């Protein structure tokens, strides 16, 4: 491209290697930012950020272009906007464009700077003349906020009124860093504050000695007298009552999910943008036509513009402007994020807004980050699941189901043991609790399932959940808890019963004193048998009627006179084998009936021949939903959910409740530092997460509850490298504070003329005194006032 800006030519658009580059707008020109300054953003400037990610395997790499549009000059912001389009064209029109606004950046954008300790906002801009080195040594008050994605901003001034009890602040005096921890700040935020102070000290190594002093909210007067004197010069203790509340500090980097997603189609009539609502969610890929462009409004999570392949060049180039016009017309928050995608180049987070998204057909293995295909193996060595966590994640199997299982039925708000010869028999009007134990190379592991029948009562469902918690407590909290709703049984749950799971209608479990109760199936009933392999095949009682038949399945009909096994044309061998096992429980020999070869006595047993479902078995296509990690919160009664992009094990924060969503099921991860209210609310918040998913999730999606340090391989397999010892060997907040203190310099004050001698004062402050004036009134006690020249000597 001949007319591309020269600053962009440092990028080869044909290269397939990963690239990350930042440009700043200076005097209306595009200028590359030095790599050592990546992550530092001046409030008066606009930036263009390009991230080209190489994806191994048969899929093409995806490019992301981000515009950092801060409180800059509008002309420079305009230059950044149209230069982003120019860069887009230079890269072949494939990049995803994001409009980012200072203080409202997307999680993806902030994740780019996570390795550098988060984003740092610096006062001024190019026009102000500030430069990187000078800014380091200005005295300032820094505001550290965020757990996963840290923002470090400079407070309006060094005063108590700029601080709040819910966050961490760093009083940066150059050679001394005071880390002040709000009393309502989380342990994670305190740890982040310490780490950021440590990084500042490391940046200054070789230039000046820098000490770090930790100050807890409310304990300022307990500091060393000399330290307190320096601290109170900038933050007088008699003004401490000006500290703001935690709420005044604003919300953390979370987003409200309670919004109905909406799809709009865009058109232009004589130069005027027209936007028409197509539908509210959940959305399907079929709702969009390649000849049009669309806007998707996902509430506080931002807008997406989708450009179909048949869209005009003008629609492609002005999509971002049209989206901003939409924001103004609808009266939305002007800081609303906007992302532009083109057909065929949609990122995963866009596809996740849809209930379905067709996957491209490729030969061989498909590579995808944080996504494991849902394959089921019929035979495997269970011991390998703990050695091969990816296999465990693929199969969603803790083991092969051959461990020890105890089953109880919920009755009168208590648990009643189920007899072993009734193992695998369930009634849809009841709830059950199953404690499953299986060996591990190091110890014994436990899973507690609580199965809730479709026609069980609210009290029974509540009791099953409560009893599952009690069993877990009896095991020392070492079990994985799994809620299972009838019809949504996970494959491992079904494997426990070795392909012999039967669900009858009725309640009270149907078995009393070894005899069938009046609520049982009786002596005339029909079971539908379906499944794709021995592990997931089960039988469910259906109406004894010809209309209940289905060509894809096998049915077992019990009557007073005969037993029939009816085999549909689309049924599997595993289904037929299970049907034979079920029929073998009766002393009568079953009669095999194949679809299309039925005799009159068979139809008579069903009340006559009637039409039934005979469509071919349809396999649901892969929806392409990757595993996603979220942090949950219900602060002030408002449900919020914060996604962690490109997650790994360290993103599981110890004082949080997290959700791992693998689409077919949802894991609730409870950190050891989560408070009791968060633990109590975890399952409800997870259910609310499912209910509010814009993709329109099944409300009965299985939910697993796992605890920090006791994660099963079905969970850890989604995190790549998993360090079993990370929780034990990771530094606690107290250990981190001790480590920072060990790094402080022992400093001694001496007369300049005595630097090479042996003389020194006994009263030694723990910080360098260049920050203090050297008048007699301000020197620490024990220092000779005649010392007009003050030096620092280690």
């Amino acid at each position: 491209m001949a007319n591309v800006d020269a600053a962009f030519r440092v990028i080869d658009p044909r290269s397939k290697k990963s690239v990350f580059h930042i440009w700043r707008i200076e005097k209306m020109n595009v200028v590359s930012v030095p790599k050592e300054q990546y992550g530092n953003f001046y409030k008066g400037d606009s930036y263009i950020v390009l991230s080209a990610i190489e994806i191994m395997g048969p899929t093409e790499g995806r490019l992301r272009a981000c515009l950092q549009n801060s409180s800059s000059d509008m002309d420079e912001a305009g230059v950044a906007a149209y230069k982003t389009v120019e860069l887009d064209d230079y890269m072949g029109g494939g990049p995803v464009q994001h409009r980012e606004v200072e203080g409202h950046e997307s999680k993806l954008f902030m994740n780019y700077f996570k390795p550098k300790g988060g984003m740092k906002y610096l006062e001024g801009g190019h026009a102000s003349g500030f430069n990187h080195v000078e800014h380091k040594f200005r005295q300032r008050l820094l505001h550290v906020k965020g757990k996963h994605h840290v923002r470090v901003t400079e407070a309006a001034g060094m005063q108590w009124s700029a601080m709040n009890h819910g966050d961490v602040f760093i009083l940066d005096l150059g050679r001394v860093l005071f880390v002040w921890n709000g009393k309502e700040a989380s342990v994670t935020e305190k740890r982040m504050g310490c780490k950021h102070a440590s990084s500042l000290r490391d940046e200054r190594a070789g230039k000046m000695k820098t000490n770090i002093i930790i100050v807890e909210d409310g304990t300022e007067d307990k500091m060393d007298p000399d330290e307190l004197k320096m601290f109170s010069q900038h933050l007088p203790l008699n003004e401490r009552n000006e500290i703001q509340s935690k709420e005044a500090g604003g919300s953390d980097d979370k987003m409200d999910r309670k919004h109905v997603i909406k799809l709009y189609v865009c058109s232009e009539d004589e130069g005027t943008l027209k936007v028409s609502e197509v539908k509210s969610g959940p959305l399907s890929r079929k709702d969009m036509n390649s000849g049009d462009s669309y806007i998707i409004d996902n509430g506080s999570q931002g807008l997406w513009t989708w450009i179909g392949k048949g869209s005009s060049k003008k629609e492609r180039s002005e999509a971002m402007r049209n989206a901003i016009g939409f924001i103004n017309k609808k009266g939305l928050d002007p800081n609303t994020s906007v992302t532009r995608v083109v057909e065929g180049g949609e990122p995963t987070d866009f596809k996740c807004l849809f209930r379905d998204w067709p996957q491209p057909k490729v030969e061989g293995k498909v590579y995808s980050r944080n996504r494991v295909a849902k394959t089921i193996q019929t035979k495997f060595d269970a011991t390998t699941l703990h050695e091969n966590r990816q296999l465990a994640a693929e199969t969603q199997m803790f083991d092969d189901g051959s461990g020890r299982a105890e089953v109880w039925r919920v009755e009168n708000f208590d648990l009643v043991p189920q007899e072993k010869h009734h193992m695998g028999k369930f009634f849809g009007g009841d709830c059950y609790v199953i404690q499953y134990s299986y060996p591990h190379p190091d110890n014994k592991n436990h899973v507690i399932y609580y199965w809730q029948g479709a026609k069980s009562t609210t009290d029974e469902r509540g009791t099953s959940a409560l009893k599952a918690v009690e069993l877990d407590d009896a095991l020392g909290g070492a079990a994985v808890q799994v809620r299972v709703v009838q019809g949504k049984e996970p494959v491992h749950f079904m494997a426990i019963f070795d392909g012999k799971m039967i669900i009858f209608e009725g309640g009270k479990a149907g078995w009393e004193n070894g005899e069938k109760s009046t609520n049982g199936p009786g002596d005339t009933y029909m079971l539908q048998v379906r499944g794709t392999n021995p592990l997931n095949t089960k039988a469910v009682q259906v109406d004894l009627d010809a209309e209940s038949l289905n060509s894809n399945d096998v049915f077992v009909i019990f009557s007073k006179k005969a037993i029939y096994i009816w085999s549909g044309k689309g049924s599997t061998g595993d289904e037929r084998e299970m049907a034979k096992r079920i029929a073998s429980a009766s002393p009568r020999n079953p009669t095999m009936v194949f679809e299309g070869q039925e005799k009159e006595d068979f139809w008579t047993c069903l009340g006559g021949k009637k039409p039934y479902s005979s469509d071919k078995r349809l396999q649901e296509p892969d929806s392409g939903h990757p595993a996603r990690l979220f942090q949950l919160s219900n602060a002030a009664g408002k449900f919020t959910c914060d996604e962690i992009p490109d997650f790994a094990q360290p993103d599981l924060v110890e004082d949080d409740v997290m959700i791992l969503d693998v689409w077919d099921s949802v894991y609730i991860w409870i950190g050891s530092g989560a408070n009791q209210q968060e633990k109590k609310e975890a399952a409800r918040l997870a259910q609310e997460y499912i209910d509010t998913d814009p993709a329109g999730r099944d409300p009965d999606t299985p939910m697993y509850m796992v605890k920090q340090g006791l994660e099963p391989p079905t969970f850890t397999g989604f995190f790549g490298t998993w360090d079993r010892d990370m929780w034990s060997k990771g530094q606690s907040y107290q250990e981190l504070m001790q480590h920072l203190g060990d790094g402080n310099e022992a400093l001694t004050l001496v007369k300049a003329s005595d630097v090479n001698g042996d003389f020194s004062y006994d009263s030694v402050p723990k910080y360098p005194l260049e920050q203090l004036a050297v008048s007699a009134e301000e020197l620490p006690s024990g220092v000779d006032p005649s010392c007009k020249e003050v030096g620092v000597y280690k």
Side-chain angles (χ1 to χ4, degrees):
M1 186 175 177
N3 58 349
V4 69
D5 195 296
F8 294 147
R9 292 192 179 277
V10 296
I11 305 298
D12 181 0
R14 297 166 298 180
S15 174
K16 294 184 179 180
K17 294 183 179 180
S18 297
V19 176
F20 188 80
H21 204 89
I22 302 179
W23 296 268
R24 182 166 67 170
I25 307 302
E26 298 182 5
K27 296 181 180 179
M28 312 303 285
N29 294 315
V30 180
V31 179
S32 290
V33 173
K35 289 188 175 181
E36 61 270 18
Q37 295 187 28
Y38 284 7
N40 294 341
F41 291 92
Y42 285 94
K43 293 185 177 182
D45 291 333
S46 287
Y47 296 79
I48 297 173
V49 180
L50 173 69
S51 174
I53 303 172
E54 177 186 18
I55 300 180
M56 301 300 295
T59 57
E60 296 179 357
R62 301 300 181 207
L63 300 170
R64 297 182 180 272
C66 304
L67 165 64
Q68 169 69 13
N69 185 8
S70 53
S71 56
S72 55
D73 178 86
M74 291 303 296
D75 290 336
E76 289 192 346
V79 171
Y82 81 75
K83 285 295 182 180
T84 300
V85 174
E86 184 178 308
L87 177 61
D88 180 21
D89 292 339
Y90 179 59
M91 301 301 294
V96 177
Q97 291 183 26
H98 302 264
R99 170 184 176 258
E100 305 281 355
V101 181
E102 178 192 324
H104 301 271
E105 294 86 353
S106 66
K107 303 301 177 291
L108 171 69
F109 187 82
M110 297 179 68
N111 209 50
Y112 293 142
F113 308 101
K114 197 172 180 181
K116 291 181 172 290
M119 296 178 61
K120 304 173 185 67
Y121 301 121
L122 309 179
E123 292 293 337
H126 172 71
S128 70
F130 280 145
N131 61 60
H132 187 63
V133 177
E134 290 173 345
H135 200 282
K136 281 185 181 179
F137 304 107
R138 276 194 314 115
Q139 294 183 345
R140 54 189 175 162
L141 179 66
L142 299 176
H143 183 184
V144 181
K145 189 172 186 65
K147 294 182 179 181
H148 301 286
H149 306 97
V150 180
R151 289 187 178 99
V152 182
T153 57
E154 185 173 335
M158 289 189 288
Q159 55 213 22
W160 289 108
S161 60
M163 302 164 67
N164 70 80
H165 293 296
D167 292 326
V168 174
F169 294 81
I170 299 176
L171 180 61
D172 183 358
L173 301 180
R175 291 187 178 273
V176 181
L177 298 168
F178 288 94
V179 180
W180 184 89
N181 295 318
K183 61 184 179 182
E184 296 181 69
S186 69
V187 173
T188 303
E189 289 170 321
K190 292 178 181 179
R191 189 185 296 115
M192 288 295 186
C194 289
K195 287 185 176 180
H196 184 68
S198 179
S199 67
L200 289 176
R201 180 169 66 182
D202 293 343
E203 287 177 7
R204 299 169 189 180
K207 300 181 180 69
M208 64 166 64
K209 305 295 184 183
T210 302
N211 284 352
I212 298 173
I213 299 170
I214 310 297
V215 183
E216 297 295 335
D217 187 353
T219 66
E220 295 85 358
D221 56 351
K222 294 181 173 58
M223 284 192 289
D224 178 277
D226 295 321
E227 294 170 352
L228 177 60
K229 189 169 186 178
M230 175 180 284
F231 181 86
S232 58
Q233 275 190 320
H234 303 281
L235 296 170
L237 296 193
N238 61 356
E239 298 176 6
R240 192 181 175 282
N241 59 351
E242 296 179 5
I243 300 177
Q244 303 294 309
S245 66
K246 177 181 179 179
E247 290 70 27
S251 62
D252 199 355
D253 45 10
K254 304 181 180 76
M255 298 181 183
D256 184 13
R257 289 175 59 91
K258 285 190 174 179
H259 172 82
V260 178
I261 192 169
K262 293 184 178 181
L263 177 69
Y264 298 83
V265 63
C266 303
S267 60
E268 202 160 344
D269 185 10
E270 296 181 355
T272 302
L273 171 67
K274 282 190 173 183
V275 178
S276 305
E277 182 174 340
V278 177
K279 63 176 294 190
S280 297
L283 306 180
S284 168
R285 170 63 180 86
K286 296 177 182 177
D287 295 329
M288 299 188 301
N289 187 300
S290 295
D292 295 317
S293 60
Y294 296 82
I295 290 176
I296 297 174
D297 180 3
N298 198 23
S300 60
Q301 297 195 47
L303 296 183
W304 294 80
T305 66
W306 183 85
I307 311 300
K309 290 181 177 178
S311 301
S312 66
K313 184 176 181 181
K314 184 177 181 182
E315 285 178 316
R316 294 170 66 94
S317 63
E318 298 192 0
M320 195 69 73
R321 181 183 67 83
N322 290 341
I324 294 173
F326 178 87
I327 291 173
N328 297 332
K329 184 177 180 180
K330 293 289 186 179
L332 303 180
D333 184 343
N335 295 317
T336 298
S337 64
V338 179
T339 304
R340 192 211 73 162
V341 301
V342 295
E343 183 178 1
E346 299 90 348
T348 296
D349 37 354
F350 177 81
K351 296 176 184 178
C352 287
L353 299 175
F354 296 78
R355 180 189 292 274
D356 60 345
W357 193 276
Q359 295 300 291
K361 294 182 179 180
V362 295
E363 298 296 330
K365 184 179 290 186
V366 177
Y367 295 78
S368 178
R369 296 195 63 176
N370 301 128
R371 172 65 181 170
V372 185
K374 296 297 178 184
T375 59
I376 301 296
Q377 287 192 226
T378 57
K379 293 182 180 180
F380 54 86
D381 181 359
T383 60
T384 65
L385 290 173
H386 294 279
E387 300 168 1
N388 186 344
R389 294 176 297 102
Q390 184 172 354
L391 175 61
E394 287 175 355
T395 60
Q396 282 297 284
M397 296 286 285
F398 298 98
D399 71 340
D400 59 2
S402 62
R404 182 172 181 269
E406 295 180 79
V407 183
W408 295 268
R409 182 184 73 254
V410 174
E411 186 175 332
N412 296 327
F413 300 96
D414 206 350
L415 296 182
V416 178
Q418 188 175 42
E419 296 180 11
K420 287 189 177 180
H421 62 279
H422 294 316
M423 182 76 76
K425 295 182 174 67
F426 295 82
F427 283 75
D430 290 325
C431 290
Y432 299 79
V433 177
I434 300 92
Q435 178 180 318
Y436 180 77
S437 303
Y438 62 99
H440 182 275
D442 300 325
N443 52 26
K444 180 177 284 188
N445 288 350
H446 306 278
V447 184
I448 297 174
Y449 291 100
Y450 51 105
W451 185 91
Q452 300 174 336
K455 297 182 180 179
S456 59
T457 67
T458 301
D459 287 342
E460 287 172 329
R461 290 193 292 271
T463 301
S464 68
L466 180 62
K467 292 299 179 180
V469 173
E470 291 179 3
L471 284 176
D472 187 11
D473 291 341
L475 294 169
V480 175
Q481 296 179 38
V482 188
R483 181 201 69 170
V484 180
V485 176
Q486 179 181 339
K488 309 293 180 181
E489 293 83 4
V491 63
H492 181 263
F493 178 87
M494 297 173 66
I496 293 173
F497 306 104
D498 193 26
K500 300 174 184 176
M501 183 177 179
I502 304 175
I503 302 175
F504 294 105
E505 292 182 347
K508 203 177 179 182
W511 303 94
E512 294 179 353
N513 300 320
E515 297 180 0
K516 294 179 182 178
S517 73
T518 55
N519 290 328
D523 53 14
T524 304
Y525 58 95
M526 181 162 71
L527 298 176
Q528 180 179 15
V529 181
R530 75 180 320 177
T532 58
N533 60 62
L535 295 181
N536 66 9
T537 301
K538 64 182 176 183
V540 180
Q541 185 178 352
V542 295
D543 291 340
L544 186 63
D545 192 287
E547 291 181 338
S548 299
L549 297 176
N550 188 312
S551 295
N552 294 312
D553 302 320
V554 175
F555 291 78
V556 184
I557 299 96
F558 290 86
S559 70
K560 293 181 180 180
K561 296 181 179 180
I563 299 176
Y564 298 96
I565 298 178
W566 183 85
S567 179
K569 292 180 179 179
S571 62
T572 67
D574 291 317
E575 291 169 337
R576 291 189 287 273
E577 287 301 314
M578 181 178 184
K580 291 176 183 178
R581 287 199 300 269
I582 294 172
S584 66
S586 171
R588 295 191 295 266
N589 291 324
T591 300
M592 290 296 300
V593 179
F594 294 95
E595 183 178 11
Q597 301 177 21
E598 301 88 352
K599 295 181 179 179
E600 191 61 30
D601 59 334
F602 173 81
W603 293 119
T604 300
C605 185
L606 295 181
K609 186 175 181 179
K610 299 177 183 177
Y612 58 85
S613 178
S614 58
D615 293 337
K616 293 182 179 179
R617 184 186 297 271
L618 298 176
Q619 183 172 348
E620 190 173 313
D622 183 4
S623 60
H625 291 91
R628 305 173 75 189
L629 184 68
F630 297 86
Q631 183 221 348
L632 297 184
S633 175
N634 197 25
K638 182 180 180 182
F639 176 70
T640 56
C641 188
D642 179 27
E643 183 170 6
I644 315 302
D646 295 330
F647 61 84
Q649 184 184 2
D651 291 311
L652 295 170
V653 179
E654 296 177 65
D655 55 353
D656 280 343
V657 173
M658 316 286 291
I659 273 188
L660 177 67
D661 180 4
V662 298
W663 188 254
D664 297 321
S665 56
V666 168
Y667 287 87
I668 307 166
W669 183 87
I670 309 295
S672 60
N675 61 49
Q676 290 301 317
Q677 185 65 21
E678 288 174 328
K679 293 177 181 178
K680 183 178 179 181
E681 293 286 298
R684 186 185 64 78
L685 290 176
Q687 185 63 57
E688 191 167 354
Y689 161 81
I690 293 172
D691 293 342
T692 57
D693 192 318
R697 299 288 288 280
D698 186 334
D700 293 334
T701 298
M703 293 193 301
Y704 295 70
M705 188 174 293
V706 302
K707 301 177 187 66
Q708 178 185 331
L710 299 168
E711 299 85 357
T714 52
F715 176 87
T716 62
F718 288 99
F719 287 80
T721 302
W722 185 269
D723 182 0
R724 273 288 173 195
D725 300 322
M726 192 183 88
W727 310 126
S728 58
K729 71 184 180 184
Q731 283 186 316
S732 67
Y733 170 59
Q734 288 72 20
E735 291 169 336
L736 184 57
M737 285 197 300
Q738 179 62 43
H739 174 73
L740 292 177
D742 293 342
N744 285 345
E745 300 288 344
L747 300 171
T748 303
L749 183 69
V750 298
K751 289 183 179 180
S753 58
D754 294 332
V755 167
N756 296 320
D758 297 328
F759 177 80
S760 65
Y761 289 99
D762 292 330
S763 179
V764 180
K766 297 177 182 178
Y767 53 85
L769 290 177
E770 284 98 332
Q771 298 298 323
L772 293 176
V774 294
S775 64
E777 295 78 23
E778 294 184 20
L779 284 175
S781 59
V783 177
D784 188 346
S786 65
C787 176
K788 299 299 182 184
E789 292 182 80
V790 179
V792 178
Y793 175 71
K794 181 179 179 181

mmCIF file of all heavy atoms in Angstrom, residues 770-786:
data_model
loop_
_atom_site.group_PDB
_atom_site.id
_atom_site.type_symbol
_atom_site.label_atom_id
_atom_site.label_comp_id
_atom_site.label_asym_id
_atom_site.label_seq_id
_atom_site.Cartn_x
_atom_site.Cartn_y
_atom_site.Cartn_z
ATOM 1 N N GLU A 770 17.220 13.120 52.087
ATOM 2 C CA GLU A 770 17.165 14.182 51.089
ATOM 3 C C GLU A 770 15.753 14.726 50.941
ATOM 4 O O GLU A 770 15.555 15.849 50.507
ATOM 5 C CB GLU A 770 17.644 13.690 49.722
ATOM 6 C CG GLU A 770 19.148 13.548 49.607
ATOM 7 C CD GLU A 770 19.528 12.115 49.839
ATOM 8 O OE1 GLU A 770 18.807 11.418 50.561
ATOM 9 O OE2 GLU A 770 20.537 11.691 49.280
ATOM 10 N N GLN A 771 14.739 13.910 51.275
ATOM 11 C CA GLN A 771 13.366 14.352 51.103
ATOM 12 C C GLN A 771 12.987 15.417 52.133
ATOM 13 O O GLN A 771 11.976 16.094 51.974
ATOM 14 C CB GLN A 771 12.420 13.153 51.224
ATOM 15 C CG GLN A 771 12.637 12.068 50.173
ATOM 16 C CD GLN A 771 12.408 12.589 48.776
ATOM 17 O OE1 GLN A 771 11.524 13.401 48.555
ATOM 18 N NE2 GLN A 771 13.201 12.140 47.831
ATOM 19 N N LEU A 772 13.770 15.552 53.215
ATOM 20 C CA LEU A 772 13.469 16.545 54.243
ATOM 21 C C LEU A 772 14.344 17.782 54.053
ATOM 22 O O LEU A 772 15.463 17.702 53.569
ATOM 23 C CB LEU A 772 13.739 15.964 55.638
ATOM 24 C CG LEU A 772 12.819 14.829 56.090
ATOM 25 C CD1 LEU A 772 13.284 14.320 57.448
ATOM 26 C CD2 LEU A 772 11.399 15.316 56.196
ATOM 27 N N ALA A 773 13.797 18.920 54.475
ATOM 28 C CA ALA A 773 14.636 20.119 54.498
ATOM 29 C C ALA A 773 15.704 19.916 55.577
ATOM 30 O O ALA A 773 15.504 19.177 56.531
ATOM 31 C CB ALA A 773 13.788 21.342 54.814
ATOM 32 N N VAL A 774 16.831 20.578 55.468
ATOM 33 C CA VAL A 774 17.939 20.338 56.396
ATOM 34 C C VAL A 774 18.038 21.421 57.464
ATOM 35 O O VAL A 774 19.079 21.623 58.047
ATOM 36 C CB VAL A 774 19.273 20.222 55.631
ATOM 37 C CG1 VAL A 774 19.263 18.999 54.762
ATOM 38 C CG2 VAL A 774 19.527 21.467 54.797
ATOM 39 N N SER A 775 16.928 22.107 57.715
ATOM 40 C CA SER A 775 16.948 23.095 58.787
ATOM 41 C C SER A 775 16.996 22.387 60.128
ATOM 42 O O SER A 775 16.606 21.224 60.254
ATOM 43 C CB SER A 775 15.698 23.981 58.723
ATOM 44 O OG SER A 775 14.539 23.205 58.942
ATOM 45 N N ALA A 776 17.464 23.093 61.153
ATOM 46 C CA ALA A 776 17.605 22.486 62.472
ATOM 47 C C ALA A 776 16.268 21.999 63.010
ATOM 48 O O ALA A 776 16.192 20.993 63.707
ATOM 49 C CB ALA A 776 18.223 23.503 63.439
ATOM 50 N N GLU A 777 15.179 22.721 62.674
ATOM 51 C CA GLU A 777 13.871 22.339 63.201
ATOM 52 C C GLU A 777 13.387 21.006 62.646
ATOM 53 O O GLU A 777 12.627 20.300 63.284
ATOM 54 C CB GLU A 777 12.834 23.424 62.877
ATOM 55 C CG GLU A 777 13.088 24.766 63.550
ATOM 56 C CD GLU A 777 14.189 25.561 62.854
ATOM 57 O OE1 GLU A 777 14.430 25.295 61.649
ATOM 58 O OE2 GLU A 777 14.834 26.389 63.511
ATOM 59 N N GLU A 778 13.800 20.667 61.435
ATOM 60 C CA GLU A 778 13.242 19.492 60.775
ATOM 61 C C GLU A 778 14.142 18.267 60.809
ATOM 62 O O GLU A 778 13.748 17.202 60.393
ATOM 63 C CB GLU A 778 12.908 19.815 59.313
ATOM 64 C CG GLU A 778 11.800 20.841 59.200
ATOM 65 C CD GLU A 778 11.395 21.101 57.770
ATOM 66 O OE1 GLU A 778 11.676 20.251 56.914
ATOM 67 O OE2 GLU A 778 10.801 22.134 57.522
ATOM 68 N N LEU A 779 15.378 18.425 61.327
ATOM 69 C CA LEU A 779 16.244 17.260 61.423
ATOM 70 C C LEU A 779 15.768 16.350 62.543
ATOM 71 O O LEU A 779 15.280 16.816 63.572
ATOM 72 C CB LEU A 779 17.688 17.690 61.693
ATOM 73 C CG LEU A 779 18.444 18.251 60.485
ATOM 74 C CD1 LEU A 779 19.811 18.758 60.916
ATOM 75 C CD2 LEU A 779 18.610 17.185 59.415
ATOM 76 N N PRO A 780 15.876 15.025 62.378
ATOM 77 C CA PRO A 780 15.480 14.088 63.429
ATOM 78 C C PRO A 780 16.302 14.302 64.699
ATOM 79 O O PRO A 780 17.415 14.842 64.663
ATOM 80 C CB PRO A 780 15.770 12.716 62.810
ATOM 81 C CG PRO A 780 15.805 12.962 61.342
ATOM 82 C CD PRO A 780 16.338 14.336 61.172
ATOM 83 N N SER A 781 15.734 13.833 65.798
ATOM 84 C CA SER A 781 16.451 13.974 67.064
ATOM 85 C C SER A 781 17.751 13.186 67.015
ATOM 86 O O SER A 781 17.831 12.125 66.405
ATOM 87 C CB SER A 781 15.571 13.448 68.207
ATOM 88 O OG SER A 781 15.243 12.093 67.985
ATOM 89 N N GLY A 782 18.799 13.702 67.656
ATOM 90 C CA GLY A 782 20.089 13.021 67.668
ATOM 91 C C GLY A 782 21.019 13.477 66.574
ATOM 92 O O GLY A 782 22.176 13.074 66.542
ATOM 93 N N VAL A 783 20.537 14.312 65.662
ATOM 94 C CA VAL A 783 21.376 14.783 64.568
ATOM 95 C C VAL A 783 21.885 16.178 64.909
ATOM 96 O O VAL A 783 21.115 17.067 65.277
ATOM 97 C CB VAL A 783 20.599 14.810 63.245
ATOM 98 C CG1 VAL A 783 21.465 15.368 62.127
ATOM 99 C CG2 VAL A 783 20.136 13.405 62.897
ATOM 100 N N ASP A 784 23.188 16.398 64.808
ATOM 101 C CA ASP A 784 23.798 17.673 65.138
ATOM 102 C C ASP A 784 23.315 18.754 64.182
ATOM 103 O O ASP A 784 23.489 18.641 62.970
ATOM 104 C CB ASP A 784 25.325 17.532 65.024
ATOM 105 C CG ASP A 784 26.059 18.771 65.537
ATOM 106 O OD1 ASP A 784 25.391 19.815 65.717
ATOM 107 O OD2 ASP A 784 27.272 18.682 65.733
ATOM 108 N N PRO A 785 22.658 19.824 64.680
ATOM 109 C CA PRO A 785 22.149 20.892 63.799
ATOM 110 C C PRO A 785 23.239 21.574 62.993
ATOM 111 O O PRO A 785 22.959 22.223 61.998
ATOM 112 C CB PRO A 785 21.488 21.864 64.777
ATOM 113 C CG PRO A 785 21.177 21.042 65.987
ATOM 114 C CD PRO A 785 22.294 20.051 66.096
ATOM 115 N N SER A 786 24.508 21.444 63.459
ATOM 116 C CA SER A 786 25.589 22.096 62.714
ATOM 117 C C SER A 786 25.893 21.392 61.411
ATOM 118 O O SER A 786 26.670 21.877 60.609
ATOM 119 C CB SER A 786 26.862 22.131 63.577
ATOM 120 O OG SER A 786 27.323 20.794 63.805
#
